Amino acid sequence: MPDMKKYDRILDALQQLLENQTLQNISVSDIAKAAGIGKGSIYYYFPSKEAILDALIKRNYEKPLKTAKNLAVQTDISPFMRMAMIFQACRNSSDAFLNQNKEADSTGASVQDIAFLHQKYMNHLIAELKPNLTEIIKQGITSGDIDFEYPAALAEIVLIVLAVKLNHTFLSATAEDSEETIRGLVALLEKGTGVPQGTLNYLTLPADGETF
């Protein structure tokens, strides 16, 4: 049975190394040394350095994503309110990612590293949240609250917009630009799902420009 303390030590070691080195220059041997374990032990837990990175990203966003997953079964809450809470989970996980990016940038991490980590983050966020958001949309369709033929596609479109546009990593934007994007997304959601205009106003960004 895997030793979870050792598992976490490996992840901690990679995170610590990323604060001062580029990902390309970090080897499995470096991770093992930083974790205080033998290199062979690494491969008992992970087949590669990339697998360690995937596990680190998963751990960093575990709490907000767990919240989103739990919402899929809470059918006593309206689908739109649960969508809003999914959006908040996106905001929380993106905030965590952006804070890490700032720390990495201050230590001289390469642009390539940051871009690669962002791609890994987006893939994880969308893959983890899409099934749950899709299920919530399907429940809304069944209850008659939502009229839409492609729930999975709608979920993916929403998550891509949130993950790419609203964290300012790929597309630099002001708070006003971000708010306009969210208002446009909400307008599309209202028209596409057949709900009255203004139903989803509470999904829009607050006036202080807080971003996802």
Side-chain angles (χ1 to χ4, degrees), residues 63-208:
K63 289 183 179 179
L65 294 176
K66 184 178 180 180
T67 298
K69 290 178 181 180
N70 290 340
L71 290 171
V73 297
Q74 297 184 32
T75 55
D76 56 319
I77 302 174
S78 78
F80 299 116
M81 181 59 71
R82 284 184 286 158
M83 285 175 66
M85 295 167 77
I86 291 279
F87 287 13
Q88 183 62 53
C90 289
R91 176 183 289 132
N92 291 343
S93 56
S94 292
D95 284 347
F97 176 79
L98 287 172
N99 288 336
Q100 288 177 351
N101 266 8
K102 290 176 183 177
E103 293 174 5
D105 187 56
S106 67
T107 59
S110 70
V111 174
Q112 292 87 350
D113 267 3
I114 293 175
F116 178 70
L117 290 172
H118 175 70
Q119 181 182 2
K120 301 284 283 186
Y121 150 77
M122 282 204 310
N123 288 342
H124 179 66
L125 178 69
I126 293 171
E128 290 294 314
L129 286 180
K130 182 180 174 181
N132 303 289
L133 185 54
T134 300
E135 178 59 26
I136 290 172
I137 294 171
K138 286 181 177 178
Q139 291 168 3
I141 293 171
T142 300
S143 66
D145 293 318
I146 296 175
D147 181 15
F148 199 77
E149 296 182 9
Y150 310 103
L154 179 60
E156 185 169 335
I157 290 168
V158 169
L159 291 171
I160 288 173
V161 171
L162 295 177
V164 176
K165 166 66 177 177
L166 298 178
N167 58 28
H168 300 175
T169 303
F170 281 164
L171 300 174
S172 178
T174 64
E176 290 76 15
D177 290 336
S178 295
E179 184 172 355
E180 184 176 1
T181 296
I182 275 291
R183 293 191 185 283
L185 177 61
V186 165
L188 286 173
L189 285 173
E190 288 178 340
K191 290 182 179 180
T193 59
V195 301
Q197 184 176 359
T199 301
L200 305 184
N201 279 345
Y202 57 84
L203 299 183
T204 56
L205 290 172
D208 61 4

Side-chain angles (χ1 to χ4, degrees), residues 15-35:
Q15 185 156 355
Q16 180 183 358
L17 290 169
L18 284 170
E19 292 176 1
N20 300 296
Q21 300 181 46
T22 63
L23 181 64
Q24 183 177 2
N25 290 332
I26 298 172
S27 66
V28 173
S29 296
D30 294 331
I31 298 171
K33 183 177 179 180

